[in-house]
Amino acid sequence: MGKRMLEGKSIEEWLEDHPLLNEIMLEKEVFWGNPHYGGKSSGSTLTIEDVTVASERLNRFAPYFSKAFPETKGNKGIIESPLVHIPAMQHKMEQKFDIRISGSVLVKCDSHLPISGSIKARGGIYEVLKLAEHLAARHGLIEQAETYASFDSETFRNVFNQYSIAVGSTGNLGLSIGIIGAKLGFNVTVHMSADAKQWKKELLRKKGVQVIEYTSDYSKAVEEGRRQAFSNPSCHFIDDEKSSDLFLGYSTAASRLKKQLDALKIAVDEDHPLFVYLPCGVGGAPGGITFGLKMQFGENVHCFFAEPTQSPCFLIGQMTGLQDKVSVQDFDLNNSTEADGLAVGRPSSFVGNAVRHLLSGCFTIDDVRLFSFLKDLADSENMHMEPSALAGFYGPIQLIGHSAGQNYLRKHNLQDTIKNARHIIWGTGGSMVPKEIMESYYQKGRNFDI
Ligand SMILES: *Cc1c(COP(=O)(O)O)cnc(C)c1O
C-alpha cells in the first residue's frame, strides 16, 4: 500500500517533524507555543487605518441600531459586551486543578452581545453594514438621509430587497448575518453545516431567512454557498475563510476593550502583561481580535487560541505552516465536537498568514471539559454560555500548569510579571441558547464533572 502523502511529505514524515502531532492524533489535550511569535510583521496588508475606518463605520451606524434594535439604545447604538471579573470562578478553577492562577481572571461576555448573542455580532454585522452603506450610496440614498436611522425605513428596504446575501456557517455566523440582513431588507440565504443546531435554523427561518442544510461539515457548506452565490451577480457572498471585512469588524473590539480596561483602572504595560484566550474555529474572530489587540498593546498582550481536541485546524495549519492546505481529517480526526462554533476542519489561510507572528500559541480542550466549565461558570458566577464559549477557560490553567506554557513564560521573561497579569477569557456565545437546551448542557456538565 502506498504511503499517504500531504504536500509532498508522508504523514509519518510530518509526525517526525512535528512530534506534537502524535498527541493531537491521539485526541490528547495539547499546548503549543508559536515559534514564529514576535517575528517580523505579518503576511497581511491590513493596517491600523483599516481598523479605524471600520470603527468609524460602526459609529456612523449607531443611530440605526438605536432605532432598529432598541436593546442597543442603552449603549447609544454601539454593539458591545461587558468585561467582568470572575473571582468565584477563578477560585473554582484553582481548586479543581490545584494551581494558583497568578493575577486575576476576567471574562469578556460576547456571549451577551446584543442582536445575535455571539462574537459574530462583531464581524458578521460589520460586513453587512459595509455592503448596505455601499449600496445605499450607489442608489443616492445616503445624501438624502438625515441620519443613518433612515437605514431602518421602507425606502432603504425597497432597495436592499433587490439584493441578496449568502453565507456558509456552523450556526452563529448565519444567525448574525441572517438577523441583520433580513432586518435591513436583504434576501439572505444561509448554508448550514451538519453541526448547526436545530434551534438556530428555526430561528432564522422565522425571520424569513432561507436556510439550506448540509449533511457535510463546514468547509463543504461554505464551498457550496460560494458556488451558488457566484452565479448571481446581485448576491454578496460573505466568505468566512477569506473576508477582510469580517476580520476588520472583529478587530474593532480592541480599542473598545482598551476603554473598558481604563475604566476598571487596569494597566497593560511591561509590568502588567495581558493574556487573552480566544476560542477558534476558522480563525477570523480570534484572528481579527488579536490583530487589533497587538496594535493596541504590542508585546504586552499575549493571545492564545483554543480549539476542541477533535478540531484543532488552526493549530495544525500554523504548526505545519500548511494553513488551509491541511485539514484535521488528514490526521485522522473527525471534526466532530459539541462546540458547534468551533467545528471547523480547515483553517483560513488569510487569517493564518495575518497572525503568523502575532499569535502566542494554541491549545486544545476535550469536549467533556467544556461542559464541566459550563457548569462551574453557571454555579460560581451565574453566567450561562454555549459549549464553544468555554474553550478559553482552559487557557490560564495550561499556561501556568503545562510545561509548554511555562516555557512560553520563560522565553518571554514573564515569570516575574505574571503575578500582575490579567487573564481575559473571551466568552464567545450563548445568550440566545433556548433555556431547555442550556439546561441539558448544564446537566451534561454535572454528569461529567472533571
Ligand atoms: C464562530 C465562533 C467562534 C470562532 O470564530 P472563528 O471566526 O470561526 O474562528 C468562537 N466561538 C463561537 C461561539 C463562535 O460562534
Side-chain angles (χ1 to χ4, degrees):
M1 217 173 76
K3 277 192 179 169
R4 209 150 44 98
M5 300 295 284
L6 177 64
E7 294 295 304
K9 281 204 263 183
S10 69
I11 295 296
E12 289 70 25
E13 285 169 312
W14 283 110
L15 292 172
E16 223 166 89
D17 291 352
H18 303 282
L20 195 65
L21 283 169
N22 289 290
E23 290 179 50
I24 290 171
M25 282 181 87
L26 293 171
E27 299 164 42
K28 292 215 172 114
E29 294 176 324
V30 301
F31 186 98
W32 174 76
N34 178 11
H36 305 286
Y37 173 68
K40 62 173 172 16
S41 120
S42 65
S44 152
T45 53
L46 298 173
T47 65
I48 186 128
E49 282 77 35
D50 296 316
V51 180
T52 308
V53 165
S55 292
E56 286 167 354
R57 178 168 287 117
L58 289 170
N59 291 342
R60 282 201 291 284
F61 272 95
Y64 164 74
F65 284 108
S66 287
K67 177 158 183 259
F69 297 92
E71 72 260 39
T72 65
K73 229 177 187 165
N75 202 26
K76 299 191 171 69
I78 297 296
I79 302 164
E80 200 37 77
S81 75
L83 171 70
V84 291
H85 276 105
I86 45 167
M89 179 64 176
Q90 178 172 355
H91 184 65
K92 186 129 203 171
M93 288 156 72
E94 292 180 328
Q95 270 189 328
K96 200 169 213 174
F97 296 93
D98 194 21
I99 61 166
R100 223 187 82 60
I101 301 175
S102 322
S104 59
V105 179
L106 299 96
V107 64
K108 179 69 175 148
C109 301
D110 276 11
S111 47
H112 291 70
L113 278 173
I115 300 176
S116 69
S118 85
I119 196 165
K120 305 298 192 308
R122 298 184 184 278
I125 288 179
Y126 175 73
E127 179 156 348
V128 175
L129 296 181
K130 186 177 169 191
L131 172 70
E133 190 181 49
H134 169 78
L135 292 173
R138 212 162 78 191
H139 286 263
L141 295 177
I142 299 227
E143 49 219 53
Q144 299 167 23
E146 231 162 78
T147 80
Y148 272 36
S150 311
F151 276 77
D152 184 34
S153 66
E154 280 311 305
T155 319
F156 278 64
R157 276 189 286 275
N158 285 337
V159 168
F160 298 145
N161 217 270
Q162 302 159 33
Y163 297 91
S164 52
I165 296 176
V167 64
S169 171
T170 62
N172 285 340
L173 183 63
L175 213 52
S176 92
I177 305 278
I179 293 173
I180 185 70
K183 188 85 174 175
L184 282 161
F186 288 101
N187 305 294
V188 186
T189 305
V190 177
H191 300 264
M192 288 282 203
S193 68
D195 315 277
K197 302 287 183 221
Q198 195 57 33
W199 67 266
K200 295 182 183 176
K201 300 177 198 169
E202 281 164 18
L203 194 152
L204 280 175
R205 288 192 172 119
K206 249 189 247 153
K207 295 196 181 280
V209 172
Q210 193 189 0
V211 178
I212 302 180
E213 301 179 50
Y214 294 84
T215 51
S216 48
D217 85 352
Y218 163 85
S219 303
K220 268 279 173 306
V222 171
E223 192 182 309
E224 188 57 24
R226 195 186 280 132
R227 201 183 60 73
Q228 291 186 18
F230 281 172
S231 60
N232 176 359
S234 65
C235 180
H236 178 85
F237 181 66
I238 295 192
D239 196 331
D240 200 13
E241 291 172 339
K242 301 196 171 112
S243 166
S244 54
D245 287 335
L246 279 177
F247 188 83
L248 289 170
Y250 292 121
S251 73
T252 62
S255 57
R256 312 258 190 91
L257 184 75
K258 168 82 167 73
K259 278 192 203 138
Q260 291 184 316
L261 289 168
D262 288 347
L264 292 169
K265 302 208 163 24
I266 294 176
V268 179
D269 56 36
E270 208 174 332
D271 295 322
H272 302 85
L274 178 65
F275 294 87
V276 184
Y277 310 94
L278 299 137
C280 175
V282 72
I289 290 174
T290 295
F291 186 77
L293 286 174
K294 294 307 275 187
M295 287 187 172
Q296 193 70 234
F297 300 114
E299 59 186 22
N300 299 320
V301 65
H302 307 269
C303 302
F304 294 89
F305 291 4
E307 296 178 294
T309 47
Q310 277 294 341
S311 312
C313 67
F314 207 84
L315 196 179
I316 295 180
Q318 288 289 312
M319 184 164 63
T320 58
L322 291 177
Q323 310 291 4
D324 67 355
K325 295 199 175 57
V326 64
S327 74
V328 300
Q329 286 87 352
D330 289 326
F331 290 95
D332 293 344
L333 298 172
N334 62 14
N335 189 28
S336 115
T337 168
E338 285 283 342
D340 50 327
L342 315 181
V344 177
R346 195 180 286 280
S348 158
S349 66
F350 155 67
V351 177
N353 289 321
V355 302
R356 182 114 176 107
H357 303 287
L358 306 178
L359 174 68
S360 290
C362 298
F363 59 91
T364 57
I365 176 168
D366 196 282
D367 269 27
V368 172
R369 211 184 288 290
L370 295 174
F371 289 101
S372 154
F373 280 135
L374 185 146
K375 173 189 170 290
D376 290 344
L377 187 66
D379 288 346
S380 62
E381 305 282 349
N382 197 24
M383 283 184 187
H384 302 273
M385 296 189 183
E386 64 185 87
S388 299
L390 279 304
F393 281 83
Y394 207 29
I397 293 155
Q398 291 288 64
L399 180 71
I400 290 163
H402 196 291
S403 60
Q406 282 296 328
N407 282 343
Y408 180 88
L409 296 178
R410 247 194 319 277
K411 190 167 165 192
H412 301 285
N413 287 320
L414 294 158
Q415 296 130 297
D416 248 0
T417 53
I418 192 155
K419 64 176 184 296
N420 310 322
R422 293 309 201 292
H423 304 267
I424 296 182
I425 295 166
W426 217 280
T428 46
S431 63
M432 288 178 78
V433 176
K435 219 170 165 193
E436 62 284 4
I437 294 178
M438 189 57 86
E439 178 60 24
S440 73
Y441 290 156
Y442 180 86
Q443 289 306 332
K444 224 172 190 171
R446 271 179 78 148
N447 296 338
F448 301 99
D449 198 7
I450 57 168

